Amino acid sequence: MRLNICFPYSATDEISSAIRKVVEDVDTGKLQHAEIDEKALESRLQIPGPDLDILVRTSGQIRFSNYMLWQSVKMAYIRFVDVFWPDFSFFHMVCILISWQLAYNDIQRRKQLRK
């Protein structure tokens, strides 16, 4: 299991930086035009890696706030919690994990339908 906590972070900056890296790699011959795909872009993100399972947004705001936009579109379990980050506790995380476990089979089924 991997836990990412991102301070100061901007998903639009992350995506635009990855695009610049793709363009640079094409210009230098490290990447061919035909090789440009989702995986090529994803591998150049600041936070590449396995698909995001759970995204927690604290503060009670129901918005992404430019946070992990690319990673959260692949059927991530997204929870908006009405508690500020300093007050986010182990109890909050356990509740989210139990809720995710209950939804897990449905999430996996939906992921399979996307393929």
Side-chain angles (χ1 to χ4, degrees), residues 31-106:
L31 186 69
Q32 300 300 313
H33 283 98
E35 297 173 316
I36 299 173
D37 60 7
E38 183 178 325
K39 289 181 181 180
L41 186 61
E42 194 168 89
S43 69
R44 289 160 176 83
L45 293 172
Q46 295 168 8
I47 306 174
D51 292 346
L52 188 63
D53 289 315
I54 302 171
L55 176 69
V56 179
R57 170 66 159 103
T58 58
S59 82
Q61 297 292 316
I62 302 176
R63 58 190 171 95
F64 286 114
S65 301
N66 198 16
Y67 185 74
M68 296 188 84
L69 298 175
W70 182 277
Q71 294 86 348
S72 62
V73 299
K74 295 182 179 179
M75 296 301 299
Y77 185 69
I78 302 169
R79 293 301 303 235
F80 299 96
V81 183
D82 193 12
V83 63
F84 289 107
W85 170 246
D87 299 320
F88 187 79
S89 68
F90 177 75
F91 174 76
H92 292 103
M93 193 65 207
V94 167
C95 291
I96 291 169
L97 289 173
I98 290 169
S99 179
W100 174 69
Q101 280 184 315
L102 293 171
Y104 183 79
N105 288 336
D106 185 51

Side-chain angles (χ1 to χ4, degrees), residues 73-75 109-115:
V73 299
K74 295 182 179 179
M75 296 301 299
R109 183 181 56 79
R110 290 174 187 243
K111 282 184 180 181
Q112 290 302 318
L113 291 174
R114 286 188 74 219
K115 291 182 181 183

